[in-house]
Amino acid sequence: MDIKDLEAKDANTRGMLFVIISTVLWAINGNIGVYLFRDKGVTPEHLTMFRLVFSGVILLIYQYIYIREEVFNIFHNRDELIKLVYFAFCGILVMQYGYFVAVKHSNAATATILQSLAPFIIVIITSINYRRLPSKSVLIALIIALVGTFLIVTHGRVDQIAITKSAFIFGMIAVFGCVNYNLVFGALQEKYSTILVLGWAMTISGIGFSLVFRPWRTSLSMDIGSVLGILYVTLLGTLFPFLFHLTGLKNIGAQKASILSLVEPVMSTIIAVAFMGAKLFKIDFMGIGMVVCALLLLALN
């Protein structure tokens, strides 16, 4: 094995490690949200504000330090500015806020699985745009995912909903945001750096959200647990896993990254049950397993 092969192997190993670390950090993130909502009186509005504003400002500072001449370029083109605003509010903001409200009204595992339905919606939209049916394997994956979601939401009974309506509705809102995030982001990323787009989108949506909902008007007990939890969500739950995932993606490619990202719903479930007291039934685990298998099948295609 020559030096180039060794370097390629090392890059592949590092890439896989970075992606796995990012997915584990994201899995912990939802469960930290449960802790803050349940034990510290933090609201989804507080957490959304902190997460978006702080992460966005940090990314913009990073961009300004290393490539400052490009920081305001995105504001020079009207069409791209409209895309950025849409991406900020209908993509990132809707995805983040919807996810945290779903977490509050259910648990991190359920909210993560619901949000994981976004790739299937993207497949359907893409198929409609190109006027081409998905492959048989993708259709099978879609059916498996829908059945798995049905089991999670109803415990297998048509006459009941096992999770609260708020959890389901905001979980679907998070899916809508995730779909917009993926579809609009690609268009902006073709011309601008990822850090620049996300930095502005997070900052704009975070400030706009804060001005409308005014989370600071709700009392918040800022003890050491609250501070550490909010810092985790902002840094280890948003900023660092995003950078780790990007680094890993460059080294191993989108397909391997998608497959390794399936660690997130599995880890989120384990943490929710083992440490956060989430009560899941056997049929819930069956549903989660079906969604994960469907996502794996989709990633392979």
Side-chain angles (χ1 to χ4, degrees), residues 2 26 40 72 77 111 123 163 172 174 224 246 255:
D2 58 26
W26 275 322
K40 296 299 177 182
F72 298 101
N77 186 301
V123 167
I163 63 175
M172 291 300 100
I224 186 66
L246 277 183
Q255 187 183 60

Short mmCIF file of all heavy atoms in Angstrom, two decimals, residues 2 26 40 72 77 111 123 163 172 174 224 246 255:
data_model
loop_
_atom_site.label_atom_id
_atom_site.label_comp_id
_atom_site.label_asym_id
_atom_site.label_seq_id
_atom_site.Cartn_x
_atom_site.Cartn_y
_atom_site.Cartn_z
N ASP A 2 0.73 2.13 -1.01
CA ASP A 2 1.59 3.31 -1.09
C ASP A 2 1.05 4.44 -0.21
O ASP A 2 0.01 4.31 0.45
CB ASP A 2 1.74 3.78 -2.53
CG ASP A 2 0.40 4.10 -3.18
OD1 ASP A 2 -0.55 4.44 -2.44
OD2 ASP A 2 0.29 4.04 -4.42
N TRP A 26 -25.91 15.51 17.86
CA TRP A 26 -27.29 15.90 17.53
C TRP A 26 -28.30 15.05 18.31
O TRP A 26 -29.34 15.55 18.72
CB TRP A 26 -27.53 15.76 16.03
CG TRP A 26 -27.11 16.97 15.25
CD1 TRP A 26 -27.23 18.28 15.62
CD2 TRP A 26 -26.49 16.98 13.95
NE1 TRP A 26 -26.73 19.09 14.64
CE2 TRP A 26 -26.27 18.34 13.60
CE3 TRP A 26 -26.12 15.98 13.05
CZ2 TRP A 26 -25.68 18.71 12.39
CZ3 TRP A 26 -25.54 16.36 11.85
CH2 TRP A 26 -25.33 17.72 11.52
N LYS A 40 -36.02 22.77 33.90
CA LYS A 40 -35.46 24.11 34.09
C LYS A 40 -36.41 25.23 33.64
O LYS A 40 -36.04 26.41 33.73
CB LYS A 40 -34.13 24.23 33.32
CG LYS A 40 -33.04 23.29 33.85
CD LYS A 40 -32.72 23.60 35.30
CE LYS A 40 -31.69 22.65 35.86
NZ LYS A 40 -31.42 22.93 37.31
N PHE A 72 -20.89 40.38 2.87
CA PHE A 72 -22.13 41.06 2.50
C PHE A 72 -22.50 40.87 1.02
O PHE A 72 -23.44 41.51 0.54
CB PHE A 72 -22.02 42.55 2.82
CG PHE A 72 -21.83 42.85 4.28
CD1 PHE A 72 -20.58 43.14 4.79
CD2 PHE A 72 -22.92 42.79 5.16
CE1 PHE A 72 -20.40 43.40 6.14
CE2 PHE A 72 -22.75 43.05 6.51
CZ PHE A 72 -21.49 43.35 7.01
N ASN A 77 -27.63 40.88 -4.50
CA ASN A 77 -28.51 40.30 -5.51
C ASN A 77 -29.90 40.11 -4.91
O ASN A 77 -30.08 39.37 -3.94
CB ASN A 77 -27.94 38.96 -6.00
CG ASN A 77 -28.73 38.37 -7.15
OD1 ASN A 77 -29.92 38.11 -7.04
ND2 ASN A 77 -28.05 38.16 -8.28
N ALA A 111 -39.62 12.91 18.16
CA ALA A 111 -39.43 14.11 17.34
C ALA A 111 -38.38 13.88 16.25
O ALA A 111 -38.55 14.32 15.10
CB ALA A 111 -39.03 15.28 18.23
N VAL A 123 -37.87 13.19 -1.98
CA VAL A 123 -37.91 12.24 -3.10
C VAL A 123 -39.19 12.44 -3.91
O VAL A 123 -39.16 12.45 -5.15
CB VAL A 123 -37.81 10.80 -2.58
CG1 VAL A 123 -38.18 9.81 -3.69
CG2 VAL A 123 -36.40 10.51 -2.09
N ILE A 163 -49.37 9.81 20.39
CA ILE A 163 -48.67 11.02 20.80
C ILE A 163 -49.65 12.19 20.75
O ILE A 163 -50.71 12.11 20.13
CB ILE A 163 -47.44 11.30 19.90
CG1 ILE A 163 -47.88 11.58 18.45
CG2 ILE A 163 -46.46 10.15 19.95
CD1 ILE A 163 -46.75 11.99 17.54
N MET A 172 -44.51 17.57 12.03
CA MET A 172 -44.72 17.75 10.59
C MET A 172 -44.25 19.14 10.13
O MET A 172 -43.77 19.30 9.01
CB MET A 172 -46.20 17.56 10.25
CG MET A 172 -46.70 16.12 10.40
SD MET A 172 -45.81 14.93 9.34
CE MET A 172 -44.66 14.22 10.53
N ALA A 174 -41.72 20.65 11.44
CA ALA A 174 -40.27 20.48 11.37
C ALA A 174 -39.88 19.79 10.07
O ALA A 174 -38.85 20.13 9.45
CB ALA A 174 -39.77 19.68 12.57
N ILE A 224 -26.81 26.99 36.97
CA ILE A 224 -25.70 26.37 36.25
C ILE A 224 -26.20 25.32 35.26
O ILE A 224 -25.67 25.17 34.16
CB ILE A 224 -24.70 25.75 37.25
CG1 ILE A 224 -23.45 25.24 36.52
CG2 ILE A 224 -25.34 24.65 38.07
CD1 ILE A 224 -22.63 26.32 35.88
N LEU A 246 -19.85 18.60 7.98
CA LEU A 246 -19.34 19.11 6.70
C LEU A 246 -17.97 18.54 6.39
O LEU A 246 -17.68 18.15 5.26
CB LEU A 246 -19.25 20.64 6.76
CG LEU A 246 -20.52 21.43 6.46
CD1 LEU A 246 -20.20 22.91 6.49
CD2 LEU A 246 -21.09 21.05 5.11
N GLN A 255 -23.31 9.58 0.26
CA GLN A 255 -23.98 8.31 0.53
C GLN A 255 -23.55 7.72 1.88
O GLN A 255 -24.39 7.37 2.71
CB GLN A 255 -23.71 7.31 -0.58
CG GLN A 255 -24.53 6.02 -0.43
CD GLN A 255 -24.19 5.01 -1.49
OE1 GLN A 255 -23.05 4.59 -1.58
NE2 GLN A 255 -25.18 4.61 -2.27
#
